[in-house]
Amino acid sequence: MDSQLTGTVAIVTGASSGIGEATAKKLAEHGASVAVIARRQDRLNTLVTAIQGAGGSAIAVVADIADRSQAGMAVQTVVEHFGRIDILVNNAGLMLLGTVMDQDVEEWERMIAVNQKGLLYMTHAALPHLLAAAKDGLREVADIVNISSIAGR
Ligand SMILES: NC(=O)c1ccc[n+]([C@@H]2O[C@H](COP(=O)([O-])OP(=O)(O)OC[C@H]3O[C@@H](n4cnc5c(N)ncnc54)[C@H](OP(=O)(O)O)[C@@H]3O)[C@@H](O)[C@H]2O)c1
């Protein structure tokens, strides 16, 4: 397993299912060490086992990214384990659809807490490490990928 991402470290939030899980596997296939973040530890552990079984490198970090301190601690755990962060994929999110009249306002608050605040907490905590990684010459770039939705726009 050797490619353009060899030596890099990626964080994928919301990696316990769906797009995040698939993204984590693909990044690992391309040589990145991957930290997978979500709340469901059993699913993260299964993913880490699958990535390692395919020859990749991964760790599971359980965190609710809507909680600022948990988001910060998750980033810290990744840096302590892998020593750097080159790529942050802000994927964790909810889509609780409904009409404005019928929508439960608490559902809006949950979506804002994860989709917006969680993304900002993760980005704020990871940014100094991403900038340091961009400077150190490995690829001379770091990446933040935000998974969005036309529903959000
Ligand atoms: N699928 C689509 O058609 C589609 C279309 C447009 C946009 N999107 C966006 O793409 C992203 C992924 O969608 P998906 O379809 O793959 O959804 P999914 O399978 O439901 O995955 C969502 C992920 O977010 C995690 N998550 C939710 N709340 C969290 C929290 N508070 N802290 C940490 N992790 C949290 C979930 O893990 P835990 O429950 O284990 O925490 C899960 O891993 C979302 O942002 C979604 O809005 C998807």
Side-chain angles (χ1 to χ4, degrees):
M1 201 171 288
D2 187 30
S3 82
Q4 66 269 35
L5 296 184
T6 298
T8 66
V9 174
I11 290 177
V12 182
T13 68
S16 61
S17 63
I19 295 168
E21 180 180 351
T23 301
K25 284 181 175 165
K26 193 54 79 179
L27 286 165
E29 270 175 35
H30 282 277
S33 296
V34 186
V36 293
I37 296 179
R39 294 164 302 172
R40 287 172 291 175
Q41 181 156 27
D42 53 337
R43 294 186 63 100
L44 294 179
N45 288 344
T46 302
L47 173 60
V48 165
T49 302
I51 290 173
Q52 291 172 342
S57 167
I59 57 164
V61 182
V62 175
D64 178 347
I65 63 155
D67 179 311
R68 185 167 51 155
S69 66
Q70 289 189 41
M73 280 192 294
V75 167
Q76 200 51 42
T77 300
V78 177
V79 173
E80 280 167 15
H81 189 87
F82 285 128
R84 59 187 294 122
I85 304 170
D86 301 88
I87 300 164
L88 169 63
V89 182
N90 284 311
N91 165 77
L94 321 170
M95 274 201 297
L96 305 170
L97 299 177
T99 63
V100 173
M101 287 301 290
D102 296 333
Q103 189 77 356
D104 178 350
V105 172
E106 285 186 4
E107 290 193 345
W108 293 350
E109 288 173 343
R110 275 175 55 213
M111 283 194 287
I112 288 167
V114 180
N115 301 12
Q116 297 183 12
K117 287 186 175 177
L119 180 149
L120 292 170
Y121 295 153
M122 288 299 300
T123 303
H124 183 249
L127 204 48
H129 306 288
L130 290 163
L131 290 171
K135 268 193 191 153
D136 86 355
L138 200 63
R139 291 184 307 151
E140 296 182 339
V141 70
D143 304 287
I144 300 174
V145 180
N146 295 327
I147 307 297
S148 181
S149 169
I150 53 169
R153 289 186 212 157

